Amino acid sequence: MAETYENAGGTTVPIVPAVPSADPQGDPFLRTRFALPARPATFLRRQRLVQHLDQALGTPLALVNGPAGAGKTLLAADWAAGLRQPVAWLTVEAGDRRPGVFWAYVLQALRACGASASDVVGAPADASRVDRKLLAALAAELNERDRPVVLVLDEYDRMTDPEVTKQLEFVLHHAGRGLHLVLVTRTEPLLPLHRYRAAGELTEIRAAELAFTPEEAVALLELHGLSLPVPAASALVDRTRGWAAGLRLSALAARESADPELYLKEFDADRSTVADFLLAEVLRGQPQETQGLLLRVSVLERFSPELANALTLRTDAEPILAGLHRDNAFVEYLGHSSYQLHPLFREILRAHLRVRLPGLEPELHRRAARWLRRSGFLPETLAHGAAAGDWDFAAGALVDDLAIGQLFTGLRSDDLTQLFSQMGPEARSPATDVVRAARDLSRHDLDHGLARLRLAEEQLTDDAPDLAPAQLSCALLEALAARLTGCPPRAERAAVAADDLRQEVPAHLLDKHPELTALLLTHLGSARLWAGRFEDARAALTTAAAAPGGASTVLPREDALEHLALLDYLDGWLGRAERKALAAVAEMERVGLPQPSGSGIGQLVLAAVAVDRHELGRAQALLDETARLPAGTHDPVPAAGRALATARLLLVRGKARAAVDAAAPDVSAVVASPWATSREALVTAAAHLAEGRPDAAAEVLQGVSVDQPGCAVEAAAIQLAAGRTGAAIDLLDGIRAGSRAGPAVTVRAALVRAQAAEGAGDTATARRLVAHALLDARRERLRRPFLDAGAWLRPLLATAPLHELAAGWLTPGSPRQGERPRPEVLPPPLVAVELSGRERDVLERLARMMSTEEVAADLYVSVNTVKTHLKSVYRKLAVNRRGDAVRRARDLRLL
């Protein structure tokens, strides 16, 4: 009976007796090398990869290239098992490096699937060489086949003989359409792949495509009896980079755990079967110098060959790393001469480093920190300096780089605060005290921050080397301390010192860290605003608001814009104030930082504007929003703004005593603010007047500074209401010419003069003044002065010319004949609120009373996406409730 054999496609075929049954060395052929590898029960067929591999039937060469455990062999075997044409499978071994042995096995694989059994081809007789005639005969026979044969060479990375590669290319070229060659390999084969790629004759599946997607990971885990939600699977895929063996080994271990989902989330890679696999398959197969390099660079997130050399104290990292990447040895190339280790491999190597080279890890971090510092990589320098426990070095790097402002900018402040929170009391240097002071002041811990700032400044003596960066950092902290303590002279001294120190600091450092100058100017502007020096404050804040630097200066720019908005409000320019407050929000959103800086000045300005426009519900919502911001900021400007906005709203609502209690800022300041003190007194005087005590009101007004037009006009209105017309007119006449007073001031001043004229019987003058006031107020939608004016104004507004000026925004418009009275119609908005198309979609559905879940379903997006759009809409409209958003949108003609 003839001997038969089951080929790779599962078909039983005869083995021709004339063909040798042994290789050229006389060893019998190992038939297991011709058999398709068995697929385990937990094997997951990934159709996207099978479909891609199907393209190999249209190209002479296909390459499946990936690291150990990437699923290459099982993918190729599963694909080959489903093919109709003959499939010759050969698992290459190290002994096949000799040409005669390799081609003997290739021929046997072809015969085993019935693809080549001609005596013309023959078989190699010498293990070390193969006759070219044999190769030509093989290529010719394959070329004449009606049905092409698929030759799969698995583990081809074991083939390192360039002569065999040349021979393989010769056969592939001359076999024409009769042969499709599939190479399954960990490394790049020596074939000229670029030629095949350029000619469109190459099918490639590489590591990135072999990686499992989160959805595929979920399906794989289900085959292992595990159920994992897609978000958790995504985290596992991120950690394993979708590496098939890592996922399978983790799944097998998780099945033995009491809480599989928790295990897959938190398993220690170095104590798992994954570690055994990687150590055996990757690390131990490398030369000792390569193992040493891998262990040492495991302390790095990413690295260049030069940095690897600094850690290994060698000079050959570049070729080693390039070879590891080329061989898919879990070293990933990031471009620009930068590498990183596979995350799991890095975890395992770090644990292995501690066992094999105990005590070396801190020194490696120290070497890395110093190399990175010389190379200008500050964040990595700080991380490795901290990991080495070298706090003097880490703090010195931060200060010398002029990066102390990053503790306040919001981009890296949390990371830096957390990093330096591990710094112990043993670190004693001027730089560490500067960092401690900055960290405390960033949290508004004035007592500790000021004490540490004094200690740092005492150590920065004239004989200390290179002290200018540290002293400039101290000047920034002095300006912040001056702002928080309400001490404008201290801020001015800090600004003068900073100007002098800038001349001693390298210009490239100032250009590199524009946030330092922006922060200093913002603190100086805030202190000047507190002092009532509005023009000087505006100059500093305008420069800060225009600072370059993109995201690095976004918080000081936002802070400066909000202070400028407050200045505009105090000067009576409501529209300008609103635009700047909204621009501050837009500036944050533009760079992807949706959260406010924490002071809430912008919201306070918008709340105050809303009171003046008699939008009391919106004002209350904005005040409620600021109340949820972190307490205890010790910043007097927003504290005074919050107190006065709250007090004004309470006054409007008739709660005089509550307004007086709310008017005093809940902070202490070294220097009293003239405008804050005056406006607090004005609230108290207005409360006395509301309670029927005009004399008490007039007495309180003695403490009001009338240098600012807004305060002078408010005081004049109260004097007039108290029956002191002469005092009121004197106050108005005392306002200096050329002041920057805006409509909120000029309208109220005109109404005071109009009331005085009306009381004196000069109705014509009163009407003319009211007409001017209405024209100015209409542009700003400024209602409050008219509502506060009292009963004398109503008869005038009823007259035809004035009624027309007030109709539609201050009073209801006249209905047409036969029409019912219409509700109040607001004028077009002063500020254009820009909403995205999706935000408008969400807002329209809010107006239809749809729930968040209903909006998500209607728009085919997730609930979280809807919530994100809602937060953006609330910020842009300066509201924090759905109903307020809809009402505000209708006011602004957005609905």
Side-chain angles (χ1 to χ4, degrees):
M1 182 176 180
E3 186 177 2
T4 60
Y5 183 74
E6 185 175 326
N7 70 7
T11 304
T12 300
V13 296
I15 294 180
V16 179
V19 176
S21 61
D23 66 24
Q25 302 175 107
D27 296 328
F29 287 115
L30 301 175
R31 295 185 178 182
T32 53
R33 295 177 57 188
F34 308 130
L36 290 180
R39 277 84 70 204
T42 55
F43 172 75
L44 176 68
R45 172 175 290 177
R46 293 185 283 169
Q47 199 61 37
R48 63 181 177 89
L49 295 180
V50 173
Q51 290 173 351
H52 190 173
L53 202 46
D54 282 340
Q55 296 175 19
L57 301 178
T59 60
L61 179 62
L63 183 69
V64 182
N65 184 315
K72 307 180 297 296
T73 296
L74 292 180
L75 166 66
D78 182 58
W79 171 74
L83 295 179
R84 295 182 179 180
Q85 52 264 68
V87 177
W89 181 283
L90 174 61
T91 301
V92 179
E93 292 189 350
D96 298 342
R97 293 171 186 168
R98 287 171 291 183
V101 176
F102 173 77
W103 284 106
Y105 265 95
V106 169
L107 289 168
Q108 189 65 15
L110 290 168
R111 292 183 178 109
C113 73
S116 176
S118 171
D119 293 337
V120 176
V121 176
D126 187 342
S128 63
R129 60 179 298 276
V130 65
D131 194 309
R132 188 174 181 83
K133 290 181 179 180
L134 183 150
L135 299 177
L138 173 61
E141 184 170 304
L142 289 171
N143 189 40
E144 292 174 359
R145 289 185 57 84
D146 295 331
R147 296 180 64 203
V149 63
V150 176
L151 173 60
V152 181
L153 298 180
D154 187 28
E155 301 194 34
Y156 188 73
D157 45 276
R158 294 174 176 174
M159 175 52 65
T160 57
D161 188 343
E163 182 63 26
V164 170
T165 300
K166 291 180 181 178
Q167 294 167 354
L168 188 61
E169 185 184 4
F170 171 82
V171 171
L172 180 61
H173 175 69
H174 292 287
R177 296 184 178 181
L179 176 64
H180 297 295
L181 177 62
V182 179
L183 300 182
V184 182
T185 176
R186 296 184 189 181
T187 64
E188 202 76 354
L190 299 176
L191 289 166
L193 297 180
H194 61 282
R195 296 180 188 170
Y196 290 93
R197 191 179 293 119
E201 295 179 339
L202 175 63
T203 300
E204 294 181 87
I205 295 180
R206 295 186 174 270
E209 191 175 356
L210 289 168
F212 275 68
T213 66
E215 293 75 16
E216 289 170 346
V218 169
L220 178 66
L221 293 171
E222 287 177 351
L223 290 174
H224 287 79
L226 301 173
S227 178
L228 201 66
V230 171
S234 296
L236 181 61
V237 167
D238 287 343
R239 189 177 180 192
T240 61
R241 292 284 199 274
W243 178 45
L247 291 169
R248 288 193 176 96
L249 292 171
S250 300
L252 291 171
R255 290 199 305 190
E256 307 301 321
S257 171
D259 189 341
E261 184 172 343
L262 182 63
Y263 175 87
L264 291 172
K265 181 180 179 182
E266 300 179 353
F267 71 90
D268 293 327
D270 58 293
R271 299 181 181 179
S272 67
T273 53
V274 176
D276 299 335
F277 183 96
L278 286 174
L279 291 175
E281 291 287 331
V282 181
L283 184 64
R284 292 184 184 128
Q286 302 295 339
Q288 284 299 316
E289 62 271 15
T290 302
Q291 291 189 32
L293 181 145
L294 288 170
L295 289 172
R296 286 164 174 79
V297 299
S298 68
V299 303
L300 304 168
E301 290 282 349
R302 57 180 61 197
F303 48 89
S304 65
E306 294 78 14
L307 177 53
N309 283 333
L311 266 62
T312 60
L313 305 180
R314 298 170 60 93
T315 59
D316 57 354
E318 186 165 11
I320 292 176
L321 291 171
L324 289 169
H325 169 66
R326 187 172 55 250
D327 294 345
N328 282 309
F330 292 85
V331 175
E332 303 168 0
Y333 182 62
L334 305 176
H336 305 288
S337 297
S338 181
Y339 294 85
Q340 70 179 9
L341 298 175
H342 185 285
L344 284 179
F345 194 33
R346 179 171 178 258
E347 288 182 53
I348 294 162
L349 287 173
R350 287 192 70 177
H352 208 52
L353 169 68
R354 297 179 186 123
V355 174
R356 282 180 53 174
L357 301 168
L360 182 60
E361 190 171 356
E363 174 59 25
L364 293 173
H365 283 296
R366 193 171 288 107
R367 293 177 193 173
R370 277 152 178 74
W371 186 91
L372 289 162
R373 178 74 181 118
R374 291 192 301 271
S375 302
F377 297 100
L378 182 63
E380 294 85 352
T381 297
L382 301 179
H384 287 287
D390 195 343
W391 294 108
D392 290 342
F393 177 82
L398 183 75
V399 172
D400 289 344
D401 203 71
L402 282 187
I404 196 71
Q406 291 186 354
L407 278 162
F408 306 94
T409 59
L411 295 174
R412 299 194 60 239
S413 56
D414 290 343
D415 293 339
L416 289 174
T417 298
Q418 183 177 1
L419 180 77
F420 284 102
S421 66
Q422 306 168 52
M423 183 167 59
E426 71 282 355
R428 305 303 310 173
S429 69
T432 56
D433 286 323
V434 169
V435 171
R436 288 189 180 100
R439 191 182 63 197
D440 292 336
L441 290 174
S442 71
R443 298 182 303 209
H444 304 284
D445 183 351
L446 292 177
D447 293 337
H448 289 96
L450 292 174
R452 283 165 172 158
L453 181 56
R454 294 284 81 77
L455 185 60
E457 290 171 335
E458 289 169 2
Q459 296 180 73
L460 293 172
T461 57
D462 291 338
D463 57 350
D466 300 323
L467 51 78
Q471 289 179 328
L472 185 53
S473 298
C474 287
L476 170 64
L477 300 183
E478 284 285 357
L480 173 57
R483 169 182 174 174
L484 296 179
T485 56
C487 186
R490 184 177 190 175
E492 297 294 341
R493 290 193 296 271
V496 171
D499 285 339
D500 294 338
L501 289 166
R502 281 194 190 93
Q503 311 307 314
E504 303 178 31
V505 173
H508 75 274
L509 287 181
L510 292 170
D511 293 338
K512 181 180 177 183
H513 293 291
E515 73 276 357
L516 187 141
T517 300
L519 285 165
L520 199 148
L521 286 172
T522 302
H523 300 331
L524 177 63
S526 181
R528 287 175 173 175
L529 193 160
W530 180 251
R533 296 167 51 198
F534 284 5
E535 294 310 307
D536 293 337
R538 194 182 302 276
L541 293 167
T542 300
T543 304
S552 68
T553 57
V554 63
L555 281 182
R557 290 203 310 270
E558 179 228 11
D559 200 11
L561 277 171
E562 290 188 327
H563 277 77
L564 287 169
L566 179 58
L567 279 172
D568 282 335
Y569 177 78
L570 293 174
D571 281 337
W573 295 95
L574 270 61
R576 295 180 189 175
E578 184 179 46
R579 281 190 288 273
K580 286 186 174 70
L582 293 175
V585 175
E587 183 68 15
M588 296 284 286
E589 289 184 338
R590 190 177 64 83
V591 296
L593 293 175
Q595 297 302 319
S597 64
S599 67
I601 295 177
Q603 289 96 323
L604 292 170
V605 169
L606 292 172
V609 169
V611 172
D612 282 328
R613 291 175 176 166
H614 199 59
E615 299 170 354
L616 305 186
R618 179 168 178 256
Q620 187 64 62
L622 287 161
L623 288 174
D624 291 344
E625 187 175 336
T626 62
R628 290 193 290 271
L629 293 171
T633 59
H634 296 283
D635 193 338
V637 170
R642 183 176 295 108
L644 295 175
T646 303
R648 288 208 61 218
L649 181 58
L650 289 169
L651 270 179
V652 167
R653 288 178 164 169
K655 300 178 181 179
R657 280 298 91 196
V660 172
D661 294 340
D666 190 21
V667 293
S668 59
V670 174
V671 175
S673 170
W675 64 267
T677 302
S678 295
R679 289 180 182 265
E680 180 184 351
L682 288 169
V683 169
T684 303
H688 287 322
L689 191 63
E691 293 171 342
R693 292 183 290 170
D695 293 339
E699 184 178 349
V700 170
L701 292 178
Q702 300 304 313
V704 174
S705 170
V706 294
D707 291 339
Q708 292 164 9
C711 292
V713 171
E714 291 281 353
I718 294 174
Q719 289 282 23
L720 183 61
R724 294 175 170 79
T725 303
I729 299 301
D730 288 344
L731 284 170
L732 296 181
D733 291 342
I735 297 175
R736 66 183 184 277
S739 68
R740 295 176 56 92
V745 175
T746 58
V747 166
R748 194 173 290 272
L751 290 177
V752 170
R753 292 186 183 276
Q755 185 178 358
E758 179 70 10
D762 189 354
T763 302
T765 299
R767 285 179 179 171
R768 177 175 53 80
L769 290 168
V770 171
H772 283 303
L774 286 169
L775 286 169
D776 288 344
R778 183 168 61 181
R779 287 191 292 269
E780 300 269 0
R781 302 201 313 281
L782 179 61
R783 300 181 180 89
R784 197 67 247 163
F786 299 94
L787 298 175
D788 292 339
W792 70 271
L793 185 58
R794 294 192 189 98
L796 291 178
L797 291 179
T799 61
L802 298 183
H803 177 74
E804 291 179 3
L805 290 174
W809 68 275
L810 181 62
T811 61
S814 302
R816 296 180 182 178
Q817 186 173 5
E819 285 186 343
R820 301 177 64 179
R822 292 175 294 173
E824 179 179 343
V825 178
L826 299 179
L830 290 171
V831 181
V833 177
E834 296 293 338
L835 297 181
S836 68
R838 185 59 81 185
E839 288 167 352
R840 287 178 178 272
D841 291 340
V842 171
L843 190 58
E844 288 170 358
R845 284 156 179 79
L846 284 189
R848 302 206 300 263
M849 304 298 289
M850 294 174 67
S851 68
T852 303
E853 291 75 13
E854 289 170 337
V855 174
D858 198 44
L859 294 177
Y860 298 99
V861 297
S862 70
V863 171
N864 285 336
T865 299
V866 174
K867 290 179 178 178
T868 300
H869 289 312
L870 280 177
K871 289 179 181 178
S872 179
V873 169
Y874 290 168
R875 284 193 300 273
K876 291 179 179 180
L877 298 181
V879 299
N880 60 1
R881 293 188 179 90
R882 290 166 170 252
D884 293 338
V886 173
R887 283 190 291 274
R888 178 69 173 153
R890 285 175 175 149
D891 287 349
L892 298 177
R893 302 291 192 272
L894 298 176
L895 287 175

